[in-house]
Amino acid sequence: MEGFTQPPPAAPHSAGNQAHTNMNMNARAHAHANVYVHVRVGRCDIAIPVDQVRQALPLPPQGLTALPRHSGGLLGLAEFAGAAVPVVALERWVPLDTPQGDGVDTLPRLLVMQHASGLVGMRVDAVLGVKALAAGDIRKILHQPDDNELFESVVPASDSAPVLCILEVARLMRLSQAWCEQAQVDLPAPPAPPAPPAPPAPPAPAAWGAPQEASRTQGCTPQRYAVLRIGVEQWAVTVNAVERVVPVPAAELALGPRDRSWAIGQWQGRKLPLVDISEGRQASDRQAAPCMVLLSHGPLLLGLTVSECQQFVDLSQQAMALLPGNSVSAGVTLLPDGSRLQVLDVAKLFEVTPEASVSRWASASPGAPGSAALADATEPSPYLVFDADQRYASPVQGVLGVVELSAACREDLRSGRPGLLPWRGQTLRLVNLPAIAKSVAHADPLLAVVVQAPEGMMAPIGIAIRSLTDWLPAHSARRTGIRMGAMGELGLINAKGAVDHANLVLVDLSEMAHLLG
């Protein structure tokens, strides 16, 4: 099917040089970092350049086709796109005993890889996602050619990741002497008859010739996408936006399972929203969506919660059909098996996810002059920014969650009746946030912030608000004050570099819960 096949590169025999060329080209395309597919084979974690991975397929139900061989590294043959792909037996180089109770769900796959015009396959126990690795992260450990060794380079282990062995597909082909090269079995085409001379083309207008040519070729070049299962839906995400795939972190602030951003979590000290783009919110908990795909857009980051990372495909813009009605879709296409694949527009997703601003780092660099004084002058606590009768900022201490209000709760608040909020098996008291300006009517409440008074001295209560607009990370806002006559001194919060976050009125919802409770 058009758009799903990778154009055959140049000849396959300059193995080492071609592998390094692929890595360098990919580095320039991904901000000086190589993108790798992370797989596990036995006890070995392996990273393979993403531009050399054609597809991750389920193992054939009938098994591999065995060949009568006396020795060597060939495990069998598998059919892929009409070609007989040799599957290499990695047990020749890698111990295949799988550790028990390592917490990783294994789903054996057949990984089809390509170097130049050659294809080779290998059986893997799990496909764990993609990782962006800078060239400086990789260490070469073997400095003499050794045909008994499969890996020459590794990425050292960290607190959150094991040692990664870098697999060069060209080296695997050379050591196993097994690959399927389509160019060697195709018969040469008969010479074409000479074409009649073409009539002279009419001259193009000088000002429009180049743009017209660009418009014809725009969207024809395939790009690499990761195919993700989110609930029962399949989505494609460009690998250039994928930072890595990690387990879903614990939710620090629940925003409600019906919202696209269903929670705020943390990854490596950085707050970020957990986002479910499926219809009906099928991936809004850690059971339905155990994986988080970290997507980046400029300085922002969000966690796309997914059920499974499936495979990689190459798609061009021409292979997609545009369908109205989905605010984050760039189009839809069909996979070879006829299933529907939606393509995510990453820029649109960030546009409709204001919660992603929580991932913004503080603008001051630690080594800048005066940065220590700046850190001392900023608030050490994160702040929740929300709308009620006006825009407020509150420290997050004591905030247990944000929930959507039912129609009955909203009507109770509008009519002045005491409101009751069901929450985690409890029935909480629901109140409006007192307005600063008495002449301003309460905005129609849509959400409730569940708040615990300091030191747990009383039961939590729900404080109704209009909407949740932002999250200010620690050391990203300054606190000032202003005296307003009989009202006394009001605290104000000013966020650094954030739009519409100047002179936010400070209200401590935890203390407010104590006063209203």
Side-chain angles (χ1 to χ4, degrees):
M1 181 174 181
E2 184 180 357
F4 282 85
T5 58
Q6 181 173 335
H13 294 298
S14 56
N17 292 337
Q18 180 67 32
H20 290 295
T21 301
N22 288 341
M23 292 172 65
N24 291 334
M25 291 175 61
N26 197 38
R28 290 193 296 271
H30 199 270
H32 308 292
N34 297 320
V35 182
Y36 289 81
V37 181
H38 181 193
V39 301
R40 179 169 295 173
V41 180
R43 294 178 178 270
C44 187
D45 285 79
I46 300 173
I48 310 162
V50 70
D51 57 357
Q52 297 183 17
V53 177
R54 285 289 299 272
Q55 208 161 0
L57 304 169
L59 291 175
Q62 71 277 12
L64 301 175
T65 302
L67 291 180
R69 288 177 56 85
H70 177 67
S71 62
L74 188 62
L75 190 62
L77 295 177
E79 191 275 335
F80 172 73
V85 177
V87 180
V88 175
L90 284 195
E91 57 263 34
R92 180 172 175 181
W93 298 279
V94 178
L96 293 187
D97 53 321
T98 302
Q100 300 296 321
D102 61 353
V104 176
D105 295 330
T106 60
L107 181 62
R109 293 270 181 176
L110 174 63
L111 207 66
V112 179
M113 299 168 290
Q114 177 169 355
H115 171 65
S117 59
L119 297 175
V120 67
M122 73 176 183
R123 182 190 183 280
V124 300
D125 293 319
V127 178
L128 302 178
V130 295
K131 298 185 90 129
L133 300 174
D137 296 334
I138 300 174
R139 303 287 185 268
K140 188 170 183 178
I141 54 175
L142 294 181
H143 300 274
Q144 292 293 333
D146 189 344
D147 287 347
N148 294 318
E149 299 293 341
L150 180 59
F151 306 111
E152 286 188 338
S153 303
V154 301
V155 176
S158 65
D159 293 339
S160 59
V163 173
L164 279 178
C165 299
I166 305 298
L167 176 62
E168 300 177 42
V169 177
R171 181 177 178 84
L172 176 65
M173 289 180 176
R174 180 171 60 82
L175 296 184
S176 64
Q177 287 297 301
W179 68 84
C180 169
E181 188 175 356
Q182 191 67 30
Q184 293 181 349
V185 298
D186 286 344
L187 294 176
W208 293 93
Q212 287 175 344
E213 181 64 26
S215 66
R216 285 194 294 269
T217 58
Q218 186 177 10
C220 297
T221 304
Q223 295 185 27
R224 178 61 55 92
Y225 287 81
V227 178
L228 313 170
R229 181 173 65 82
I230 305 178
V232 298
E233 300 174 10
Q234 287 182 298
W235 284 81
V237 180
T238 174
V239 297
N240 290 333
V242 175
E243 292 294 327
R244 65 181 61 187
V245 180
V246 297
V248 173
E252 296 186 1
L253 179 64
L255 303 180
R258 295 185 182 181
D259 296 328
R260 182 184 286 114
S261 298
W262 57 272
I264 299 292
Q266 181 172 269
W267 176 74
Q268 293 190 350
R270 193 171 179 182
K271 305 286 186 183
L272 76 168
L274 307 182
V275 178
D276 176 10
I277 60 174
S278 64
E279 185 177 356
R281 305 296 175 253
Q282 308 165 40
S284 295
D285 60 72
R286 299 172 76 184
Q287 287 71 40
C291 301
M292 177 177 73
V293 179
L294 289 165
L295 300 181
S296 63
H297 184 66
L300 303 181
L301 198 68
L302 63 79
L304 184 65
T305 51
V306 304
S307 306
E308 182 187 8
C309 302
Q310 293 184 321
Q311 62 185 43
F312 293 93
V313 296
D314 290 335
L315 293 174
S316 66
Q317 193 67 35
Q318 292 178 333
M320 305 177 197
L322 297 178
L323 294 180
N326 193 315
S327 61
V328 298
S329 175
V332 65
T333 187
L334 296 178
L335 291 171
D337 61 2
S339 59
R340 178 171 168 166
L341 179 66
Q342 300 185 74
V343 181
L344 177 66
D345 189 320
V346 175
K348 286 183 181 178
L349 178 60
F350 275 87
E351 286 178 7
V352 298
T353 310
E355 298 86 356
S357 61
V358 68
S359 65
R360 185 189 297 113
W361 289 110
S363 58
S365 58
S371 61
L374 180 61
D376 291 339
T378 55
E379 288 293 285
S381 171
Y383 277 78
L384 197 68
V385 181
F386 61 94
D387 284 332
D389 62 300
Q390 64 178 48
R391 186 156 293 184
Y392 294 93
S394 169
V396 299
Q397 284 83 0
V399 176
L400 304 180
V402 180
V403 297
E404 187 176 0
L405 291 178
S406 65
C409 288
R410 294 167 61 188
E411 181 58 33
D412 286 341
L413 291 171
R414 282 194 295 262
S415 63
R417 293 190 297 267
L420 298 176
L421 178 68
W423 184 74
R424 297 184 182 178
Q426 305 177 56
T427 301
L428 308 182
R429 194 173 158 223
L430 179 63
V431 298
N432 274 311
L433 182 69
I436 291 180
K438 295 301 183 182
S439 60
V440 178
H442 285 289
D444 186 22
L446 300 176
L447 305 173
V449 184
V450 179
V451 188
Q452 177 73 65
E455 301 179 359
M457 58 183 64
M458 59 184 62
I461 69 169
I463 298 178
I465 64 173
R466 173 65 182 176
S467 62
L468 183 67
T469 61
D470 208 343
W471 176 298
L472 304 179
H475 298 293
S476 67
R478 293 172 178 266
R479 179 171 177 170
T480 60
I482 183 172
R483 179 165 293 279
M484 297 183 64
M487 295 183 65
E489 185 171 340
L490 288 179
L492 301 176
I493 291 294
N494 289 275
K496 298 181 299 179
V499 180
D500 296 333
H501 289 357
N503 296 327
L504 301 175
V505 176
L506 172 63
V507 56
D508 191 323
L509 291 179
S510 177
E511 294 182 0
M512 189 67 69
H514 174 64
L515 296 174
L516 300 176

